[in-house]
Structure formats: C-alpha cells, structure tokens
Amino acid sequence: MVLLLALHAAIAVVAPAAGARLGRKVFWLCAIAPAATFAWVMAQWSGVVAGTAVDQPLSWVPGLGLSLDLRLDGFSLLMAGLISGVGVLVMVYSRYYFSERPGLGRFAGTLTAFAGAMLGIVLSDNLLAIYVFWELTSVTSYLLIGFEDSKPSARAAALHAMLVTGAGGLAMLGGFVVLGQAAGTYSLSAILADPPSGTAVSWGLAMILLGAFTKSAQAPFHPWLPGAMAAPTPVSAYLHSATMVKAGVYLIARLAPAFAAGVGYWRPVVISVGLTTMLVGGYRALRQHDIKLVLAYGTISQLGFLVVLVGAGYPELSFAGGALLLAHSLFKAALFLVVGIVDHQAHTRDLRELSGLGRRMPATFAVAAVGAASMAGLPPLLGFVTKEAAYEALVHGHGLGGLLTLIGVVAGSVLTFAYGARFLWGTFADKPPSGRPRIGPEVPLPKWQFLAPAALLAGLTVLFGFAPVLVTGLAEAVAASLLAEVDVHLVLWHGFTPALALSGVTIALGVALFLARERVERAQDHLPAVPTAQGAYEGSVRNLVLGATRLTGVVQNGSLPTYLAIILLTMVALPAVALARGASLPDGLTFAESPLQVAVAALVLVAAAGAATARGRFAAVLFLGGVGYGVAVLFLIQGAPDLALTQLLIETLALVIFVLVLRHLPDRFDPKPWRLRERGRIVLSAGVGVFVAFFVMVAAGSRTAPPVSEEYLARALPEGGGRNVVNVILVDFRGMDTMGEITVLVVAALGIASLVMAGRQREEAP
C-alpha cells in the first residue's frame, strides 16, 4: 500500500515535465498509478470479502504517536476499487477530452496526486494521517478546479471550495485531537473497537461531523460543489463519483456504528442534515438549465441520501448505503462523462439549446439513458436494486423517526426521478422551435474511445443490476467492516413487498413531477427570495475582506511609532495580567551592591532623559551612546567583561552608523507642542520601564530549577578545554548555532555591500 501511494506521488512529480514531451499521451503515463492500484485491489478481493483485512503498519513519528498504519478491509476495498477503477477511466477519457494545450502535464500530475490523496484517506488507519491526506485532497482539488486560472469564475470557485472544506478540515483536526486524547490512541480501528465517551468526546465528534459535512457538501455548506463545475469535466466526474465528496461520507460511515447509539445528538443531526441536503439538492436540480449543474445538484441530493443511510448506524442501512455508494459512483461517473462529450461536441451545456442529440448520437444517448435510469431507480439496474435495499431497511424502521426518515427519502427519490428525466430529456430530446438557437443534428460524432469509459460504467450498472450477487459479497464485507453483521442480500426481485410499492409510488410521482416541469420552474421563479447558503458565503467573504482592509489600515498605517507602540503595548499587557494575578517579589532584594553602581545608574538615567529631550539630533545620539556606555560600565562592575566589551563594540558601531546617517538629516528635530499623543508616548515608555524592572525582579525570584549556567561551568574545562565559559559555549557547546549566526551576518554584510556598490555605480554613471 505504501508503494502504491509512493507510485502516485512519483508520477505526480514527473508528469508536469513529461507532459511537455508527451502532450496528451501524458494521461497514459498517469493511468499507471490507478491501474496498478486497481489490479492490487482485485488481487485482495477474495481475502478481504471473506473477512481478512490487510494491515501494513509503518512508524512515522513514534514520539508524537504518529504512524502511517494502512489497512484494507471491506469498506476500504470498495472505496479503493472505485478510486482506482474510475481513476483509470477518467485518465483514458481525458486523453480524448483535451486538445493539445500547455499545462496538460501539470493537470495530469495534479489529478494523479488527487487520486493518491483520496486513496490515502481510505487506507489510513490513523486519524492524523487521515487528516494529512484529507487536506491534500483540498489542496489538489483547489488546483484542479482553478485549472482554467485565466477565468475569474474558476478562481472564485476554487477559492470557495478551499475556504469551505479547509475550514471544515481545521474543525475536524480539533475533533481528531480530542477524540485521540480521550481514547489514548489515534488508531482508527482501536478507537472504533473501544470507543471513548464523555462530554469532550461529544464535542470532538461534533467538530468531526462539521468537517465531514463541508467535505461532502451537506446543507448548508453545499454551494461550493455546484461552483466546482468550473473545473474541466474529467475533474467533475472524478470528484463527484469516487473521490473528494465521498470522503465525508466515508468518515461518517466509519464513525457511525461506534458513536451513533451513544452520542445523543448523532442520529437526529446526521439524519436531519442528510434529508435536508437530499431535498434541497433535488429541488434545486429541477430549475437548472446547465446539464452539468443538474447533475451537480443531483450529486448533492445523492450525498444526502448516502449520509442518511451510512450515518444512522444501523446494520441494514449501512449495508444498503455501501451498495448505493457503489451504484452512485457508477451512474454518476458515466453521466458526467456523457456531459463532457456533449459539451465537447456541441460546445454548449444549455438544455434549452440542445435538441435532437438522441437521434444524432444514439450510442451516447443509450449510455446516458442507462445512467439516468439507474439514478432514478428503474429496474433492472443497480440503482433500482440498491434503492430497494434502502427502502426495505427503512420500512422496518425505528419508530416515528424511522417513519419520518422513510417519508423524506421517498420524497427525495421522487425528486431524483424527476431531475434525472429532465436531464435526459433536456440533453437528447427533440424540442419544439423557440426563440433560441437549436444545436443537435450538425454535432460531430465522438470517437468510440471517447465514449468507451462511460459505456463501460453504464455496462457495469446493467450487469450488477441483473446479477447483484456479484456485488452482494462486497456489500456484506462493507457492512461487516463497519462492525455490522447483517443477514440481508441484494436481489433484483423481492416479490410484492412494501418496498416495491414505494418504488412504484416514487416512479409515478416522479413521472408526474417531470411532466409538470415547466410549471415547477415557474413556481420556483415566483417564490419570494429567501436567504441562501450561497448568499451567506458571499456576504461572509465580502465582510471579511472589508474588515481585513479596515484593520490593516489601522495596524499597518506606515507609521513606525504606531508599530512600536503596538509591540510595546502587547509586551506589557499580556504578561502583566499574569504578573498582577500571582507574582510576588523575592525576599532579600538589594538596592545596590556598591555606591559606584548607584552613580553609574544615575548617569545612565540622566543620559536617557537627555536623549529624550534633546533638540539637536547629534546631541540626542551622544546621549543615547552615553546610555549604552553606562550599561557597559555596569556590566564591568558586575564582573562581566565579555558582555561589557560586546556592549562597547555595539555602541561604538551604532554611533558611527548614526553619524553617517545624520549627514543626510536636518540638524534639529522639528519643534512640536506636547500634545496628547506625546504624553501617551511618555506614559507608555514609563510603563514599559516599570514593567521590565518589575518583571526582571519577579523572574529572578521565580526560579525553581538549577540554572543551566551551573552545568556549563562544570563542563567547560573538562569537555571544552577552556576556562572562559562564554567562549566554550560559543565554540563547542553551541558551535552550530554560532556558525549559523555568523553565516547570517556574512550574508547580510554581503547584501549591504552589494547595495552600497550598486548605489555608487549609479552615482558614477554619466
């Protein structure tokens, strides 16, 4: 598993350079990683479905409890198979979708990295490793969505997705830390086997759910997903079917069996959010004119359905959720690939302009019809089989909550049927003349290689629908890996059951809703405007930018005194709270050890006052130097000649620099009256002085451990061979630090010398 992740990373790195030579063939290169992964997953199929998980522990940072433990069980097998299988088809499809253009290598490499990051999420058995891969999917999706970076819409969509999923990811990280600390381990399998409990765990799980909801575009965080349609269609197909949006579903499914029953809010929140998302997505899909947006809102609706099934934490629903996840990936990937073909051939995605494509492109129409029928839940396709399994589990539901959930799911399925039919009709049907141009009969046919990936996915939908026994074992393994042993099976014909009756009701109401599509659109247009999640996002970003601009104008106004005042106030205010609450002065404080110290200190104070009140710049510099030299004398009196010498050198160098600078400044300061600002500076300066003096005294009396100087004194002669402890520290004990500091000084000196020489050359130039 580590090698597979490394293979993705390696190909992602070399792809940008290879793309310059290979052109569109770079996608063949990038298909190697998902193809190798898919072959390995198929090789593990029999063992994992039989219940034998594959573990690969890998120590990372043991001191911090970090590891890269990888685990392939039933659920991971399903996800890894979808990521790699759909990934191969998307790579092949991309070879024919794109024309020769710059940047294809970068795009292919990013797509490979995206696949590897998603693979890392589903294989990781450590919460912190999951978070790392989780954020990698956010970063790579940002790059993919914003691939057409010359378009403002693409940049805005990428930023929207990054902000929403990134903020959710940070919340999730906090939840992971809380959960890991409460459990005493960050191993996901260990936490699920012995789940912790308590108030902190409940809050941590709420933060994790927030991250999962944002990633899977659950209401009210869903608007970023339709915006992501700015990405090229291969990205949309991959993102909507097998990767990023499924990460949140995956995480909820993992945690639900362990926490749904023990955490009181889990089921009400997860089911409510899932149902709301399912209904909102289906409702919004009915009014879209861009067929890609129809599918995008359809994805939101289906993600809500999945969250309801896998998030409730009931074994039968988890079984149905695993099967629906497979079905959704197959038909949604096929439908998005078809949209890309239509857009590529017709150069439009507006269903009001498309007409007659069904007769012109019968093969493409057939693939789309299979995908849409599976999405709508028509027999004998896999979508029907899985929806029947979901209905069957919900019919034998759990009290009033189960009944309400069933009603909500049926209502959402009616919407799914209606927008699925609207998509098929809008893309391929013959439409009566209108004021808009019609595009259809003249559209060139796509190459068979272009259509083949979508056709293969649609074929699998048909195959698994007729023979669900082929995937029943996988669905059972998914449920078993979620700690849920079930005794149900996927079958095409259950008999005359309540679930079949509900399917009939769904189809009948869906047909009626589709036939009334124009009245539904008009009704939606006439509904009063209500606050939307998209409006909330735009308002938040607008106010954030406005607030940041105003705050920057205050704290970054170009005034050096203001910057210094902020730094000093921060330095005084924050530690002063701690000092005021519990600090105490040490016993035995001595005012001075000799009269000479008092005299020198008095001279330092006089020089400081002179520097602050001098009218001439040169006089002020001399007074300032007097302060530094006085401090050097204090060091010397205290028995620190090294420090005194250093202080003397610094003060001398500073005086020389000041004198050089003063040549270019007026002799005297501008006379200013003592206004409120000047008095404020005096108060701040006095406050800083008092605080520093008080802090030094308190800090000197707060030592509880032996000073480190004693160890240096004891080790200087035997280990460093020197009696001057300072020299031994600089040369032996902290020699690397000293070398680094010298290097910095040399680099700075070279830079200054270069600037001076450049200035002289400009002056000498004619």
Side-chain angles (χ1 to χ4, degrees):
M1 287 182 273
V2 174
L3 291 178
L4 293 174
L5 295 176
L7 179 62
H8 281 81
I11 292 180
V13 170
V14 303
R21 302 186 59 181
L22 297 178
R24 291 185 297 171
K25 293 180 182 177
V26 71
F27 290 106
W28 299 130
L29 171 66
C30 293
I32 294 176
T37 304
F38 188 75
W40 181 81
V41 168
M42 290 299 103
Q44 309 301 320
W45 178 287
S46 59
V48 174
V49 170
T52 305
V54 180
D55 292 296
Q56 187 174 10
L58 180 65
S59 180
W60 186 7
V61 187
L64 298 178
L66 299 179
S67 62
L68 193 62
D69 299 337
L70 303 178
R71 180 180 176 84
L72 183 75
D73 58 12
F75 198 17
S76 297
L77 179 78
L78 169 63
M79 294 299 299
L82 290 174
I83 294 166
S84 57
V86 177
V88 173
L89 296 178
V90 167
M91 291 294 182
V92 173
Y93 177 87
S94 300
R95 160 66 178 79
Y96 300 96
Y97 176 84
F98 289 102
S99 57
E100 291 292 352
R101 52 170 296 181
L104 281 185
R106 174 170 55 88
F107 175 85
T110 308
L111 192 60
T112 306
F114 182 59
M118 188 64 202
L119 187 65
I121 290 177
V122 302
L123 293 180
S124 296
D125 191 37
N126 183 283
L127 292 180
L128 299 180
I130 289 176
Y131 173 74
V132 171
F133 288 114
W134 185 284
E135 290 305 301
L136 280 176
T137 62
S138 296
V139 173
T140 50
S141 66
Y142 171 81
L143 298 174
L144 291 171
I145 295 171
F147 176 65
E148 302 282 354
D149 54 5
S150 60
K151 300 179 179 177
S153 59
R155 298 197 299 271
L159 181 62
H160 190 176
M162 187 69 177
L163 287 177
V164 174
T165 60
L170 289 177
M172 189 191 72
L173 175 60
F176 278 173
V177 172
V178 172
L179 190 61
Q181 291 298 315
T185 177
Y186 286 93
S187 169
L188 179 60
S189 57
I191 292 173
L192 298 179
D194 185 17
S197 60
T199 304
V201 172
S202 297
W203 281 103
L205 290 171
M207 298 165 71
I208 294 173
L209 281 178
L210 179 61
F213 288 160
T214 58
K215 199 77 165 180
S216 288
Q218 299 295 297
F221 309 107
H222 61 281
W224 72 264
L225 190 55
M229 293 302 97
T233 298
V235 176
S236 303
Y238 202 28
L239 188 148
H240 282 247
S241 62
T243 52
M244 185 171 169
V245 296
K246 294 289 175 60
V249 176
Y250 169 83
L251 190 60
I252 293 173
R254 282 291 188 194
L255 298 177
F259 296 102
V263 179
Y265 65 79
W266 181 283
R267 281 175 178 149
V269 169
V270 170
I271 294 176
S272 299
V273 170
L275 284 179
T276 303
T277 304
M278 186 178 187
L279 296 174
V280 169
Y283 172 79
R284 295 296 302 274
L286 289 176
R287 64 176 305 181
Q288 304 302 319
H289 296 139
D290 186 332
I291 55 176
K292 200 173 179 183
L293 283 179
V294 174
L295 293 183
Y297 281 102
T299 298
I300 293 172
S301 180
Q302 291 292 299
L303 288 173
F305 192 9
L306 285 168
V307 166
V308 170
L309 295 180
V310 303
Y314 296 118
E316 296 80 7
L317 289 181
S318 296
F319 173 83
L324 181 63
L325 196 150
L326 171 63
H328 175 262
S329 297
L330 295 179
F331 64 67
K332 190 50 66 74
L335 290 174
F336 266 107
L337 296 181
V338 166
V339 168
I341 293 172
V342 170
D343 189 18
H344 188 273
Q345 303 301 112
H347 303 290
T348 181
R349 301 195 305 255
D350 194 323
L351 57 80
R352 296 167 296 184
E353 298 176 355
L354 294 170
S355 180
L357 276 186
R359 287 184 288 106
R360 177 58 180 166
M361 302 165 58
T364 307
F365 169 66
V367 171
V370 170
S374 183
M375 182 171 65
L378 289 178
L381 304 172
L382 184 60
F384 168 77
V385 173
T386 56
K387 191 167 291 185
E388 282 279 293
Y391 280 175
E392 188 67 27
L394 289 168
V395 164
H396 305 289
H398 307 270
L400 179 61
L403 177 61
L404 294 176
T405 303
L406 176 62
I407 294 173
V409 166
V410 171
S413 299
V414 171
L415 295 173
T416 301
F417 186 99
Y419 71 70
R422 185 169 179 269
F423 164 80
L424 199 64
W425 164 83
T427 309
F428 296 100
D430 292 334
K431 302 184 180 69
S434 67
R436 288 180 171 274
R438 296 299 190 191
I439 302 174
E442 73 284 3
V443 170
L445 295 177
K447 294 181 178 179
W448 69 268
Q449 300 97 326
F450 195 16
L451 181 61
L456 179 57
L457 291 167
L460 290 176
T461 300
V462 177
L463 175 63
F464 294 153
F466 273 110
V469 66
L470 296 175
V471 292
T472 294
L474 177 60
E476 291 175 346
V478 170
S481 65
L482 298 176
L483 308 178
E485 296 290 346
V486 295
D487 188 22
V488 293
H489 305 281
L490 292 176
V491 294
L492 180 60
W493 175 250
H494 278 278
F496 295 100
T497 62
L500 182 64
L502 288 174
S503 293
V505 170
T506 300
I507 295 172
L509 293 179
V511 170
L513 191 58
F514 167 71
L515 295 176
R517 58 186 179 279
E518 293 183 357
R519 278 176 286 179
V520 172
E521 286 185 39
R522 287 196 297 270
Q524 291 192 25
D525 292 337
H526 288 85
L527 286 177
V530 296
T532 62
Q534 180 66 25
Y537 165 77
E538 293 174 353
S540 300
V541 172
R542 185 169 54 251
N543 290 324
L544 178 64
V545 173
L546 181 62
T549 302
R550 291 178 176 175
L551 181 62
T552 303
V554 172
V555 300
Q556 297 289 332
N557 58 0
S559 170
L560 184 60
T562 301
Y563 299 160
L564 190 60
I566 292 173
I567 293 172
L568 293 177
L569 279 173
T570 305
M571 185 190 76
V572 173
L574 295 183
V577 175
L579 288 175
R581 292 184 60 184
S584 60
L585 295 176
D587 297 331
L589 285 176
T590 302
F591 177 72
E593 295 177 346
S594 70
L596 184 59
Q597 288 180 333
V598 177
V600 175
L603 291 175
V604 169
L605 291 176
V606 170
T613 58
R615 298 295 183 188
R617 296 181 188 273
F618 187 72
V621 168
L622 290 180
F623 278 122
L624 193 62
V627 173
Y629 288 125
V631 172
V633 174
L634 285 176
F635 285 149
L636 189 61
I637 296 173
Q638 201 65 27
D642 293 342
L643 287 178
L645 179 60
T646 304
Q647 181 72 21
L648 288 172
L649 292 175
I650 291 175
E651 289 301 329
T652 303
L653 180 62
L655 276 176
V656 171
I657 294 175
F658 270 124
V659 169
L660 294 176
V661 173
L662 289 179
R663 295 169 57 194
H664 304 281
L665 293 177
D667 294 335
R668 302 182 66 81
F669 294 107
D670 294 334
K672 294 181 179 179
W674 283 61
R675 294 175 300 184
L676 181 61
R677 179 178 295 181
E678 303 300 327
R679 294 173 184 175
R681 291 175 182 174
I682 294 175
V683 171
L684 177 60
S685 302
V688 171
V690 172
F691 167 77
V692 171
F694 185 64
F695 182 83
V696 169
M697 287 188 289
V698 172
S702 301
R703 185 186 299 280
T704 58
V708 69
S709 58
E710 294 181 1
E711 182 181 355
Y712 284 137
L713 289 170
R715 295 170 54 192
L717 183 59
E719 297 184 15
R723 297 183 184 278
N724 188 316
V725 181
V726 175
N727 290 344
V728 173
I729 291 174
L730 293 176
V731 176
D732 294 289
F733 296 155
R734 300 183 60 185
M736 293 299 294
D737 294 349
T738 304
M739 186 179 71
E741 294 165 357
I742 293 174
T743 303
V744 171
L745 291 175
V746 170
V747 172
L750 292 174
I752 293 172
S754 300
L755 291 174
V756 172
M757 295 176 66
R760 287 182 175 177
Q761 290 174 358
R762 281 197 297 269
E763 291 177 355
E764 294 173 356

